[in-house]
Amino acid sequence: LYEHPQGSTTVMPCPVESHTNADGCAALFGGKGDGEQCPQITCPKALGVTMKLVCMGGCCPTCWAPDHVVGLDRHKALENPAVV
């Protein structure tokens, strides 16, 4: 679970040890100051549940809620694959 810097609501990068591709994140952040590296997002409410900011391998936190709380809109296979 992501935690904002103490006393701030600025969204900062995820910890380096959680990055799936640390070199890619370094290139993305190159020359950008604090508060400019990641989008300044707030998580919305979906079905009455406020999503949480989490670090899951990316450079910046993303909004997330478990599938059992906010179900994904999953595509179901069509009976006739010729139908578009």
Side-chain angles (χ1 to χ4, degrees), residues 5-84:
Q6 187 173 0
S8 173
T9 57
T10 302
V11 178
M12 299 296 288
C14 292
V16 174
E17 58 272 7
S18 73
H19 294 170
T20 302
N21 184 340
D23 292 337
C25 293
L28 175 68
F29 300 150
K32 294 180 182 175
D34 289 349
E36 297 176 347
Q37 298 164 329
C38 294
Q40 300 304 302
I41 60 173
T42 54
C43 295
K45 274 192 172 189
L47 303 175
V49 176
T50 301
M51 298 176 136
K52 307 263 188 242
L53 278 174
V54 294
C55 292
M56 299 176 76
C59 304
C60 297
T62 56
C63 295
W64 177 85
D67 287 352
H68 72 279
V69 175
V70 178
L72 290 174
D73 183 10
R74 297 188 189 272
H75 177 75
K76 307 263 187 204
L78 300 172
E79 286 183 30
N80 181 352
V83 175
V84 179

